[in-house]
Amino acid sequence: IGSHNFKEICFFERNKSCKIYSLSFFFLLPASALTTGIYMIFSTNPEMATQEVQPNETLTNLKAESDTLKTKLEDERAKLHDVELHQVAEKVDGLGQFIMKTRRTLKGHGNKVLCMDWCKDKRRIVSSSQDGKVIVWDAFTTNKEHAVTMPCTWVMACAYAPSGCAVACGGLDNKCSVYPLSLDKNENLAAKKKSVAMHTNYLSACSFTNSDMQILTSSGDGTCALWDVESGQLLQSFHGHTADVLCLDLAPSETGNTFVSGGCDKKANVWDMRSGQCIQSFETHESDINSVRYYPSGDAFASGSDDATCRLYDLRADREVAIYSKESIIFGASSVDFSLSGRLLFGGYNDYTINVWDVLKGTRVSILFGHENRVSTLRLSPDGTAFCTGSWDHTLRIWA
Amino acid sequence: MVNSGGSFSKRCVNRWHRWQRIMSTNNISQARKLVEQLRIDAGIERTKVSKAAAEMMNYCEMHAHRDPLLVGLPTSGNPFKDQKPCIIL
């Protein structure tokens, strides 16, 4: 991660009979090159000549082992798939009619709203838009409290700090910047800006961890990264996605140091924040995953995708347990969030609507209209009394 | 790094051989990473869907009563729902 144009990948290989130490360097050729890079091997081993035989053997062995492991995993997963979630949920009472309306409309952005986040005080909201504006609103009164103009367009990510004293945002500038919010309305926020994260492609999502001190980011360069806000230092990087990472969500604090990310490779990966290791991976979507959100208990997560479905993955069963889809829904889901108890799943879709799903039964409970263009972002308020949506129609709406 | 001795064709052949070794080693490292990831995946503990589903249902039921969007707070309890219209004194 960084603006270097080459990455170093070092690894040690120890063979039974001889020691082979190799370093491989990965150089990125100019864009005109057809190949993605040239590897060069330095070897201190005089038996280099025999490597032409050994690599092929090891490759076959590894392939055989990976095939056996894959079959073993499939068998194990199939054994545990004894029932469907909606079958178990048949004995649960159905939900009544839901009447949710737009209670507030926040107007002020001059272009598509791309992202928003709630403050822990349950009334302030930060939102970012395509024209580079980041606005902090008071959702009760719909007043704008702060406004910053970013030096780039398409600010795709924004997040409120847990303390409420700062906001982080980023987008096409490949960076995540933190702006401390001051009580003085006249103060120029842009002057105090701090660049924290540096990626080699656009920033797609960012989130503070439990404190103001660390930020987790995901990027179009296929990686996620954990940064220290004060020093701007990279604390941990997460490699594993094979395409742009579009979204991430941190596990609720009770369940520990993990987060889930979703990307254009149709995979949703669960990561251990301390080791950087991918602990679980799910690949059942048929298109880009635009949004992931943990279930309130932390034992499951939902995802929304361009394949027009939302899906629920249970982490302990290690599989997808529900699909929320209808034949009439053909547009992708851009963002999802759960209600406080986890019984309702709200999905914002590219057909301008919000679909409300019964998580347990798998049925749609309600459909909400109001936006005049695609819904790009959706978040539940911290106390669960309302949820906010942002849309390409330049407005944000609070629903309750 | 580049082999500058010998004829041009020999250098080309040497480079080709080096390229082949590089690509096969690249495939090996990828295969190794895949096997390591699969080993980790195979090692994690899994529960039956029935058990996981039951726990999820339990969680929903336990927290349903304090979910404002599910049970519906009275108008006075939800700051976003409209209060009585303002009376101008």
Side-chain angles (χ1 to χ4, degrees):
Chain A
I1 294 171
S3 50
H4 304 113
N5 54 9
F6 66 86
K7 281 185 242 174
E8 264 187 344
I9 307 167
C10 300
F11 59 91
F12 285 103
E13 297 175 51
R14 215 155 51 119
N15 211 335
K16 278 181 292 192
S17 52
C18 56
K19 286 186 187 170
I20 305 174
Y21 296 98
S22 24
L23 290 166
S24 74
F25 291 87
F26 175 23
F27 291 90
L28 271 169
L29 290 178
S32 56
L34 292 170
T35 55
T36 55
I38 294 178
Y39 287 87
M40 282 167 27
I41 296 182
F42 292 100
S43 175
T44 57
N45 188 341
E47 296 178 32
M48 258 292 264
T50 61
Q51 263 195 316
E52 290 179 36
V53 179
Q54 280 171 324
N56 289 330
E57 281 181 77
T58 331
L59 192 61
T60 334
N61 292 344
L62 285 173
K63 232 192 151 289
E65 192 179 351
S66 74
D67 286 339
T68 23
L69 281 171
K70 274 188 196 158
T71 349
K72 182 181 166 202
L73 273 171
E74 274 170 30
D75 288 340
E76 271 198 36
R77 284 187 174 138
K79 265 192 286 180
L80 296 168
H81 187 201
D82 51 350
V83 75
E84 297 285 343
L85 173 62
H86 62 84
Q87 290 170 314
V88 176
E90 264 162 26
K91 45 189 171 178
V92 177
D93 289 337
L95 296 170
Q97 274 283 62
F98 277 92
I99 305 168
M100 266 178 270
K101 295 196 291 197
T102 303
R103 304 289 174 174
R104 300 283 191 281
T105 307
L106 306 178
K107 295 189 189 165
H109 275 291
N111 213 316
K112 309 178 173 70
V113 177
L114 301 175
C115 185
M116 58 81 46
D117 192 18
W118 288 88
C119 178
K120 286 226 160 56
D121 70 0
K122 308 159 213 167
R123 69 184 280 172
R124 281 184 186 75
I125 287 178
V126 63
S127 62
S128 63
S129 67
Q130 186 200 336
D131 59 359
K133 286 251 179 351
V134 175
I135 301 179
V136 177
W137 313 78
D138 178 340
F140 288 179
T141 60
T142 74
N143 290 336
K144 299 188 226 350
E145 296 203 338
H146 299 93
V148 178
T149 307
M150 293 275 287
C152 68
T153 56
W154 288 91
V155 187
M156 290 173 257
C158 62
Y160 227 117
S163 66
C165 298
V167 292
C169 45
L172 283 188
D173 57 351
N174 301 359
K175 290 192 278 201
C176 184
S177 312
V178 175
Y179 292 86
L181 297 174
S182 73
L183 292 166
D184 181 2
K185 300 276 168 80
N186 295 328
E187 190 165 356
N188 183 10
L189 287 181
K192 293 246 181 100
K193 163 179 154 175
K194 191 189 298 185
S195 273
V196 173
M198 286 281 294
H199 279 280
T200 52
N201 210 326
Y202 66 89
L203 193 84
S204 52
C206 65
S207 173
F208 282 87
T209 59
N210 292 332
S211 74
D212 282 19
M213 293 292 97
Q214 292 180 351
I215 283 191
L216 192 58
T217 59
S218 67
S219 165
D221 64 13
T223 68
C224 302
L226 182 65
W227 309 83
D228 177 83
V229 173
E230 198 55 51
S231 61
Q233 201 192 0
L234 173 69
L235 298 173
Q236 184 65 263
S237 68
F238 306 90
H239 298 260
H241 279 286
T242 50
D244 304 16
V245 185
L246 296 180
C247 50
L248 59 83
D249 190 35
L250 278 149
S253 39
E254 304 86 50
T255 51
N257 288 339
T258 58
F259 74 95
V260 60
S261 66
C264 290
D265 55 358
K266 313 173 199 170
K267 283 202 267 197
N269 291 343
V270 182
W271 307 86
D272 179 325
M273 273 167 63
R274 273 177 287 223
S275 65
Q277 190 72 261
C278 173
I279 39 185
Q280 279 172 287
S281 183
F282 303 89
E283 192 174 354
T284 60
H285 270 294
E286 291 159 21
S287 187
D288 304 355
I289 298 178
N290 296 316
S291 170
V292 285
R293 192 74 71 213
Y294 265 96
Y295 190 77
S297 70
D299 292 325
F301 69 91
S303 59
S305 159
D306 276 346
D307 65 5
T309 67
C310 297
R311 293 174 199 237
L312 184 70
Y313 298 91
D314 190 294
L315 295 174
R316 287 153 316 157
D318 190 37
R319 64 175 299 120
E320 171 194 292
V321 291
I323 305 181
Y324 307 101
S325 66
K326 266 179 116 65
E327 271 188 34
S328 52
I329 301 176
I330 53 171
F331 284 84
S334 62
S335 51
V336 295
D337 205 353
F338 286 99
S339 71
L340 210 61
S341 65
R343 184 67 195 271
L344 298 174
L345 179 68
F346 303 100
Y349 287 73
N350 293 340
D351 61 1
Y352 316 174
T353 65
I354 296 143
N355 288 295
V356 187
W357 301 91
D358 180 334
V359 169
L360 300 177
K361 291 192 183 279
T363 53
R364 182 171 67 184
V365 160
S366 185
I367 177 169
L368 304 174
F369 300 95
H371 278 296
E372 292 158 21
N373 206 322
R374 62 164 77 174
V375 179
S376 54
T377 177
L378 189 157
R379 293 295 289 258
L380 189 79
S381 77
D383 59 355
T385 52
F387 66 92
C388 179
T389 54
S391 162
W392 281 18
D393 68 3
H394 311 184
T395 67
L396 292 116
R397 280 170 188 253
I398 315 267
W399 306 79
Chain B
M1 293 188 311
V2 175
N3 185 7
S4 55
S7 70
F8 176 74
S9 56
K10 208 169 161 189
R11 262 180 280 153
C12 283
V13 167
N14 282 342
R15 259 180 227 161
W16 171 245
H17 282 154
R18 202 184 309 146
W19 171 263
Q20 276 192 315
R21 283 196 296 270
I22 289 162
M23 288 313 287
S24 57
T25 316
N26 178 28
N27 291 339
I28 289 180
S29 77
Q30 277 181 345
R32 189 168 285 112
K33 276 191 201 134
L34 180 64
V35 167
E36 273 171 27
Q37 186 61 49
L38 285 171
R39 280 196 198 134
I40 294 172
D41 290 346
I44 64 171
E45 273 183 43
R46 290 179 191 82
T47 62
K48 289 197 177 172
V49 174
S50 50
K51 182 160 178 271
E55 282 181 37
M56 201 180 285
M57 270 169 48
N58 203 19
Y59 186 91
C60 281
E61 263 172 90
M62 270 195 341
H63 291 90
H65 67 278
R66 52 185 199 92
D67 184 344
L69 292 172
L70 196 65
V71 301
L73 282 181
T75 315
S76 53
N78 191 326
F80 290 107
K81 289 196 174 151
D82 293 320
Q83 314 286 359
K84 291 203 199 91
C86 292
I87 304 166
I88 301 171
L89 293 168

